[in-house]
């Protein structure tokens, strides 16, 4: 049951965090990206658009958090998108060089959290199944 509680907390935290970050990017544009405040209107437009998409990604996490049990397929899919973002950061590092240090911290966090989310994905489903078996016994 502890893994199920950790999963629920992580899923909820992912939702609120991604929603907040996405809205911050929509509202602040380039000013929300450390080191990119003078990137120009094209990057500002792209950043605000992607911020809206990221806010929607956060809403998807919050949707998953409201389910009982949290669907493992949803956690795996959302964690896969998160991992893809981390791999994109690594590709950028290889192609364009080192970004602002904060982006490196975010990449590390994404690379660590993704496997944890994959590992915990079915924790609540399993906990409820075990609880149902005990109740039926």
């Amino acid at each position: 049951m502890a893994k199920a509680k950790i999963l629920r907390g992580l899923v909820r935290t992912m939702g609120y965090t991604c929603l907040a970050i996405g809205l911050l990017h929509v509202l602040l544009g380039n000013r929300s990206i450390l080191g990119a405040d003078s990137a120009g209107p094209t990057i500002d437009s792209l950043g605000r658009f992607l911020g809206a998409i990221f806010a929607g990604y956060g809403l998807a996490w919050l949707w998953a958090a409201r389910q009982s049990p949290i669907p493992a397929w949803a956690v795996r899919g959302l964690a896969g998108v998160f991992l893809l973002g981390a791999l994109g950061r690594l590709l950028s590092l290889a192609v364009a060089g080192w970004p602002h240090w904060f982006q490196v911290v975010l990449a590390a966090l994404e690379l660590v959290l993704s496997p944890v989310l994959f590992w915990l994905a079915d924790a609540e489903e399993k906990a409820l199944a075990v609880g149902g078996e005990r109740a039926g016994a």
Side-chain angles (χ1 to χ4, degrees):
M1 198 60 146
K3 284 172 57 174
K5 285 187 176 191
I6 293 169
L7 172 67
R8 185 160 289 280
L10 273 176
V11 169
R12 193 174 286 128
T13 299
M14 286 290 292
Y16 286 120
T17 302
C18 293
L19 178 61
I21 291 169
L23 293 176
L24 183 74
H25 282 264
V26 170
L27 295 173
L28 297 180
N30 286 346
R31 291 177 294 150
S32 65
I33 305 168
L34 296 172
D37 54 341
S38 62
T42 300
I43 299 303
D44 185 78
S45 175
L46 177 65
R48 291 176 196 262
F49 172 80
L50 293 176
I53 299 298
F54 201 63
Y57 176 68
L59 290 174
W61 278 108
L62 291 173
W63 171 86
R66 294 182 54 88
Q67 307 308 303
S68 183
I70 294 174
W73 64 267
V75 174
R76 288 185 185 112
L78 291 166
V81 170
F82 200 55
L83 180 59
L84 184 61
L87 296 176
R89 288 189 197 270
L90 292 178
L91 180 60
S92 176
L93 177 73
V95 171
W98 288 93
H100 188 278
W101 67 267
F102 189 66
Q103 301 297 320
V104 176
V105 171
L106 291 175
L109 184 64
E110 293 154 2
L111 288 168
V112 168
L113 268 181
S114 297
V116 170
L117 288 162
F118 280 115
W119 176 62
L120 292 172
D122 61 357
E124 199 170 87
E125 289 177 349
K126 285 181 178 178
L128 289 174
V130 168
E133 289 173 9
R134 288 185 186 146

